[in-house]
Amino acid sequence: MAAVRCAVLLAVFLLNVIETAYSEPFIGINYGQVADNLPEPSATAKLIQTSAIEKVRLFGADPAIIKAFANTGVGIVIATSNADVPALASDPNFAKTWINTNVVPFYPASNIIVINVGNEVTLSGDQNLVAKLLPAMQNIQNALNSVSLGGKIKVSTVHAMTLLAQSEPPSSGVFDAKYVDVLKGLLAFNNATGSPFAINPYPYFASMGDTRPETKPFCLFQPNKGRFDSNTNINYMNMFDAQVDAVRSALNALGFKNVEIVVAETGWPSKGDSNEPEANVENAKAYNGGLISHLRSKVGTPLMPGKSVDTYLFAMYDENLKPGPLSEKSFGLFKPDLTMTYDVGLAKTGDKSPESPPNNTNNSPMWCVPKDGIPDAKLQENLDFACGQGIDCKEIGPGGACFEPNTVASHAAYAMNLFYQKSEKNPSSCEFSQTATLSSKNPSYGGCTYPQSS
C-alpha cells in the first residue's frame, strides 16, 4: 500500500508540475489586423494553441476570427469601435443589436470573456466622446444581461497611461484632474460588475524620453540598481512594475482598491527607423522574455504581490499597413509564416519540460539550479532579479556563509534557489527565462546550506 500511495503522490506532483508549466492564464496576446500579409485566422488559432498563450485580444469583433477560436478554450476579448460609442450610449437597441450580432451567435463555443467598449478613448481629445463612454458601457452591460450573459462576459474599456498626471515614484501615481470625474463613474462600473481596469503600459515609450543611463536596463529587466520609492521604501527593479504600481496607487487614491488591473497591451518593437535605435530584436527579446519570466515567477508587483497581473503582449504579428514610423509596424512576436520573430519561451513544447524533475521518484527534496553553460551575463541578470524581489541575499554578501567562492555563478545559484523556495516552491518560479531547472542533487557545500523543499 505504501508503494501505491507514493506512486499516486508522485503522479499528482507531476501532473501539477505539467499544469503549472502549461497553464498560464495570465499571458495573452493582441491580434491586430492592420496588414495585408497575415495568415488565415484558423492558422493563427492553431499556432496559439501550441503556445503558453491562453487569451487573445481583438480590436474589433471579426466573426472569422471569433469562429476560428471556437472550441479551443482560448479566452477571447472583443471590442466595439470608438465610432460606435455615441450610438451605443444613446440607443439601447443599438447595443442589443451589437450583442446579438457579435456575441450571441458564437458564445459559448467561442470563449468570449471581455468586451472592450472603445480603445484609449481619452486620447481622442473629444470630451463629448469621453462623456459617452460610461453610458455606452452600461448599455452593453444591459444588453448582455438581457440574454443572460451579464455574469459571464465582462464589459470594460482600455486606457492609455496618459491618464496619469504623475507616475514617479509609483506611490505618487495620480490621475489627471481633468479625467477624474469621468474615471470615478467608470471605476464605479468596474467595481460593481467585477470588470478590470485595462491599461497600456509601454516601458519602450518611457525609455525614449528618459536620458538617465540606467533607464535602458531598468526597462529591459536587465541588471540595474533599481529606483527607490522613499514613500514606501520599495526599490523597483523594472519599469513594468513601476508603471503598473503607479496605476495601482492612482486607483487607491480614488478609493477603488478592489478594482483589478489588467495590462491590455505592452511590448517592444524589433525594428525601427534610423532615429529609433532602441527598436531592435535584441531589446525586444530582452523585454518580452524578461516580462514573461517575471510573470511566470508569480511574484507580482511590489504593491500587488503574489499574483501575476493578466498581461496581453503586443502583438501577434507585425502590421505593415499601420501608419507612422517603422517601429509602429514592428511589434510582432510571430511572422506571417507562423515562425517566431525571436524566441521568448512561449512554446508549450521544447525546453519547458525540465520544470518536471525526471528523477524525483522518491519525492525527494528539490533545489532550483542554473543549467550548464549559462553565461555569466545571464546569471548576473538572474542574481539581480532574484535579490531584487525582496528575498534575503545576505548569505552571499561579504561575510556571509555562501559568499565564497565569490563568483557570479555561485552567487546566482544560491539566489535563484532561494527565490524558488520563497515562491511557494512553484516549479514556474524556477524558470529564469529557461536558464534554470529543478534538481534533486543538493548543491550545498562546506558551511553554505541551500534551503530545500520536499
Side-chain angles (χ1 to χ4, degrees), residues 97 171 181 211 213 268 278 305 307 310 330 343 360 405 423 429 445:
T97 299
S171 61
D181 287 342
T211 59
W268 199 285
E278 300 303 329
K307 179 182 180 295
D310 281 8
S330 307
D343 188 1
N360 193 25
S423 300
S429 299
Y445 60 92

Side-chain angles (χ1 to χ4, degrees), residues 271-294:
K271 297 188 292 289
D273 292 321
S274 58
N275 62 340
E276 299 175 303
E278 300 303 329
N280 58 63
V281 169
E282 181 182 0
N283 288 349
K285 183 175 181 179
Y287 177 73
N288 286 307
L291 173 60
I292 290 167
S293 179
H294 184 44

Side-chain angles (χ1 to χ4, degrees), residues 200-365:
N200 292 342
Y202 276 93
Y204 168 70
F205 294 118
S207 73
M208 294 172 65
D210 193 329
T211 59
R212 288 174 286 184
E214 74 276 9
T215 295
K216 180 178 175 181
F218 185 67
C219 289
L220 293 177
F221 295 92
Q222 292 175 336
N224 68 94
K225 295 180 180 179
R227 292 185 178 174
F228 187 68
D229 187 334
S230 59
N231 296 325
T232 56
N233 290 326
I234 294 170
N235 192 38
Y236 281 85
M237 300 306 298
N238 64 79
M239 179 69 82
F240 178 83
D241 281 356
Q243 289 186 324
V244 173
D245 272 2
V247 175
R248 180 75 272 163
S249 295
L251 292 174
N252 293 352
L254 285 185
F256 293 96
K257 295 182 179 181
N258 295 325
V259 172
E260 178 187 5
I261 293 174
V262 163
V263 173
E265 291 177 33
T266 190
W268 199 285
S270 61
K271 297 188 292 289
D273 292 321
S274 58
N275 62 340
E276 299 175 303
E278 300 303 329
N280 58 63
V281 169
E282 181 182 0
N283 288 349
K285 183 175 181 179
Y287 177 73
N288 286 307
L291 173 60
I292 290 167
S293 179
H294 184 44
L295 294 172
R296 283 176 173 157
S297 75
K298 299 181 184 176
V299 297
T301 72
L303 295 186
M304 296 180 289
K307 179 182 180 295
S308 293
V309 174
D310 281 8
T311 300
Y312 291 78
L313 306 171
F314 192 87
M316 191 75 200
Y317 304 110
D318 285 352
E319 295 178 81
N320 64 345
L321 298 183
K322 269 193 164 183
L326 180 59
S327 61
E328 282 293 313
K329 314 171 196 288
S330 307
F331 279 83
L333 292 173
F334 297 92
K335 299 177 183 178
D337 65 2
L338 307 178
T339 61
M340 292 180 286
T341 305
Y342 47 86
D343 188 1
V344 289
L346 282 174
K348 274 186 179 177
T349 57
D351 209 20
K352 286 174 68 66
S353 57
E355 289 178 321
S356 176
N359 298 317
N360 193 25
T361 55
N362 296 315
N363 200 25
S364 57

Side-chain angles (χ1 to χ4, degrees), residues 36 75 90 94 110 120-121 188 236 289 322 337 438 441:
D36 60 7
S90 61
F94 185 87
S110 295
E120 296 188 334
V121 171
Y236 281 85
K322 269 193 164 183
D337 65 2
L438 290 175
K441 182 179 179 180

